């Protein structure tokens, strides 16, 4: 069993001509994590984040994950998470387009993945596939409106996709040659928009 605790303090101050006045934010965050490794090849992990911003308490976030690695060639894993993201100062105050009424994002997600490694003589192959799904409340999106890019909240967005990669390495004496391929498919579907109901049920044009 291994564990870790850390504390982060951050102060942001922006004084820019695109702001009507200087804006700042003070953030405190406590991070905690723990991992448990079993001889049977199982691994369990937990991460937590507890945060305040300008002395207001944010919702706690974190993740739980489980992995099984029967040998040094294969690994399967799963992860569930809860995340919280404040609007950036530019999202809130940049002019034109900033929106001081933006709500923070709150999301829940699931990841499933598989890794495998195959070695034969001087050749080594590694490949991985990962499926993910995330549902986000108050998704923050910049999009053009009447010729001006503006920040707004979409009530609910479903973000899902697949990532895949394969890498090959060939050793020729002291020389190593490598080749890698990566693929990603991402879909962000707008499930509800108070600002623009006509976009409900449609794929977001900008990610």
């Amino acid at each position: 069993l291994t564990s870790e605790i850390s504390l982060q303090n951050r102060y942001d101050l922006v004084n820019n001509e695109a702001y009507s006045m200087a804006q700042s934010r003070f953030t405190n965050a406590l991070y905690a994590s723990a991992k448990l490794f079993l001889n049977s090849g199982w691994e369990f992990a937990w991460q937590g984040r507890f945060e305040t911003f300008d002395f207001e308490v944010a919702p706690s976030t974190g993740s739980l994950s489980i992995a099984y690695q029967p040998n040094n060639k294969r690994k399967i894993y799963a992860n569930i998470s809860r995340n919280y993201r404040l609007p950036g100062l530019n999202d809130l105050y940049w002019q034109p387009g900033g929106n001081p009424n933006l709500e923070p994002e709150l999301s829940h997600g699931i990841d499933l993945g598989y890794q495998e490694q195959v070695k034969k003589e001087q050749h080594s192959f590694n490949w991985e596939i990962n499926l993910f799904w995330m549902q986000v409340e108050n998704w923050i999106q910049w999009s053009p409106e009447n010729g001006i890019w503006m920040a707004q909240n979409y009530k609910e967005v479903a973000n899902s996709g697949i990532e895949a990669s394969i890498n090959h390495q060939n050793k020729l004496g002291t020389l190593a040659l490598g080749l890698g391929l990566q693929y990603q498919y991402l879909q962000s579907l707008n499930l509800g928009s108070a600002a623009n109901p006509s976009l409900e049920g449609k794929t977001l044009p900008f990610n």
Side-chain angles (χ1 to χ4, degrees):
L1 177 66
T2 62
S3 61
E4 181 179 351
I5 296 178
S6 62
L7 180 65
Q8 181 185 67
N9 299 300
R10 174 172 173 169
Y11 179 70
D12 295 299
L13 173 64
V14 179
N15 189 359
N16 190 291
E17 61 182 11
Y19 286 31
S20 60
M21 58 184 296
Q23 300 290 343
S24 64
R25 176 184 291 162
F26 184 57
T27 307
N28 294 291
L30 175 67
Y31 301 90
S33 65
K35 285 187 178 182
L36 175 64
F37 301 91
L38 302 180
N39 293 332
S40 57
W42 289 96
E43 175 185 325
F44 302 90
W46 168 82
Q47 291 183 335
R49 175 184 172 119
F50 311 92
E51 188 175 43
T52 64
F53 59 95
D54 293 335
F55 305 104
E56 294 186 26
V57 179
S60 59
T61 60
S63 65
L64 288 171
S65 62
I66 182 173
Y68 178 61
Q69 188 169 358
N71 50 53
N72 59 2
K73 296 181 180 180
R74 299 176 180 87
K75 182 178 182 179
I76 186 171
Y77 57 89
N79 177 75
I80 59 174
S81 62
R82 182 176 190 257
N83 296 290
Y84 178 84
R85 187 175 78 88
L86 288 171
L89 294 179
N90 284 350
D91 296 327
L92 295 168
Y93 305 115
W94 188 272
Q95 294 299 322
N99 183 356
N101 296 317
L102 287 175
E103 297 290 336
E105 292 181 352
L106 182 63
S107 64
H108 299 82
I110 300 175
D111 291 80
L112 300 172
Y114 178 78
Q115 300 173 348
E116 185 169 348
Q117 181 182 64
V118 178
K119 290 184 178 181
K120 186 175 182 180
E121 297 178 350
Q122 292 85 10
H123 297 273
S124 174
F125 293 90
N126 298 273
W127 68 277
E128 180 176 3
I129 186 168
N130 181 53
L131 306 174
F132 60 90
W133 172 88
M134 181 172 60
Q135 189 154 336
V136 186
E137 298 176 15
N138 297 321
W139 175 286
I140 298 171
Q141 178 79 50
W142 282 80
S143 57
E145 187 173 324
N146 298 323
I148 299 176
W149 285 80
M150 303 188 69
Q152 59 179 299
N153 285 119
Y154 288 161
K155 182 179 178 182
E156 196 168 0
V157 170
N159 197 15
S160 60
I162 181 173
E163 296 175 332
S165 65
I166 183 170
N167 296 279
H168 168 252
Q169 188 175 78
N170 184 22
K171 290 186 178 181
L172 300 174
T174 58
L175 182 65
L177 300 177
L179 176 66
L181 297 174
Q182 292 184 333
Y183 171 80
Q184 182 185 67
Y185 172 77
L186 174 65
Q187 183 183 59
S188 298
L189 189 65
N190 181 18
L191 303 181
S193 174
N196 194 345
S198 65
L199 295 177
E200 292 184 14
K202 297 182 179 179
T203 300
L204 296 184
F206 307 98
N207 292 305

